[in-house]
Amino acid sequence: MPIDVTRPLKLYRYSEKKWLERSLNLGEFRLRPASDYKNQEVDPARHDDELCRSYASPTSAVTIALVTTGQQIKPIGDVIYRSHVGTNYLTICFSDSWDELLFDDFRGTDSCLVIHNVEEFCERFHVAMASALPQGARIDGPIIYGERSSLGAIFSKPKCFISQREWRFAWRPSNSTPHIDPVIISMGSISDIAELVEKPLHGATLAQ
């Protein structure tokens, strides 16, 4: 399945002001282990099994047949597929959408880091990631919701998260490992290509 990996015109990171100020002034970002998100029971917007994805196809869309005889078997319900990443990995999430509802969805969020020059930001981000994580695979791309991404399970999420419109940076180790510590990368100030916006008052809008 082809996937459009054209980067968006802008990126948005919703979080607490104290952390986003460090991102703006120091270019500091924290990549978290994917396994952490499954433990976010108190934050539904972040609670997800990032190491295993499940998808369902209706009976009408599936044909099952025995290889030896060609006899067709009719499923009695939706057919469930599971896709496993096969290792823990590091990730950090942005959105390609300005959405005031996301301030409330992500617990503790009071500000948003707006990236105005996405191509330049991504180039600096990957250089910083390569310095901190010289081995393994580094990639950024859009999340595909409700189906498998051609970039793999790392870039797939259930449809219930579709409003987040996530753009993800990920680092996958060369060898499978169940445990990875968080990693903080730093690329220097990004104030020339980004700005910090506080949570709008009711009825206020962001100037695009």
Side-chain angles (χ1 to χ4, degrees):
M1 178 183 70
I3 181 172
D4 184 2
V5 293
T6 303
R7 287 168 174 151
L9 294 178
K10 294 189 179 185
L11 287 176
Y12 306 86
R13 179 155 174 80
Y14 299 87
S15 186
E16 295 179 63
K17 183 178 181 180
K18 63 181 180 179
W19 305 124
L20 295 181
E21 285 181 332
R22 296 187 65 85
S23 295
L24 181 69
N25 298 321
L26 304 175
E28 184 178 282
F29 294 89
R30 183 174 183 264
L31 283 78
R32 294 177 57 189
S35 56
D36 280 5
Y37 290 88
K38 193 174 182 179
N39 299 321
Q40 293 285 339
E41 290 89 353
V42 298
D43 192 343
R46 297 185 178 98
H47 176 59
D48 187 26
D49 187 350
E50 296 282 0
L51 301 178
C52 178
R53 299 302 187 198
S54 296
Y55 319 95
S57 294
T59 301
S60 59
V62 177
T63 299
I64 300 176
L66 295 174
V67 175
T68 53
T69 65
Q71 178 186 355
Q72 291 194 0
I73 301 172
K74 185 176 179 60
I76 60 174
D78 290 350
V79 177
I80 307 297
Y81 311 89
R82 285 186 173 82
S83 179
H84 294 267
V85 177
T87 181
N88 210 344
Y89 59 94
L90 294 174
T91 185
I92 186 171
C93 309
F94 294 76
S95 175
D96 68 6
S97 172
W98 170 261
D99 186 347
E100 292 181 22
L101 295 177
L102 294 179
F103 284 94
D104 297 322
D105 286 350
F106 296 114
R107 186 180 297 270
T109 290
D110 58 13
S111 299
C112 179
L113 182 69
V114 184
I115 310 296
H116 294 295
N117 188 333
V118 174
E119 289 296 332
E120 175 64 22
F121 174 76
C122 290
E123 181 176 342
R124 296 183 195 180
F125 198 100
H126 280 285
V127 168
M129 236 192 335
S131 177
L133 300 160
Q135 305 299 319
R138 298 172 295 274
I139 189 170
D140 68 281
I143 291 294
I144 301 300
Y145 297 93
E147 57 185 298
R148 191 180 190 281
S149 168
S150 62
L151 296 176
I154 291 177
F155 288 88
S156 303
K157 294 190 77 168
K159 276 190 176 180
C160 61
F161 297 106
I162 195 170
S163 64
Q164 297 177 10
R165 294 185 54 173
E166 183 180 333
W167 190 274
R168 170 172 294 192
F169 290 81
W171 173 83
R172 177 172 178 154
S174 302
N175 299 310
S176 179
T177 178
H179 176 79
I180 302 177
D181 292 322
V183 169
I184 294 177
I185 65 170
S186 181
M187 63 183 81
S189 173
I190 59 170
S191 60
D192 59 326
I193 58 172
E195 67 173 313
L196 188 60
V197 178
E198 295 186 9
K199 181 178 180 179
L201 297 175
H202 182 67
T205 57
L206 175 68
Q208 299 295 318

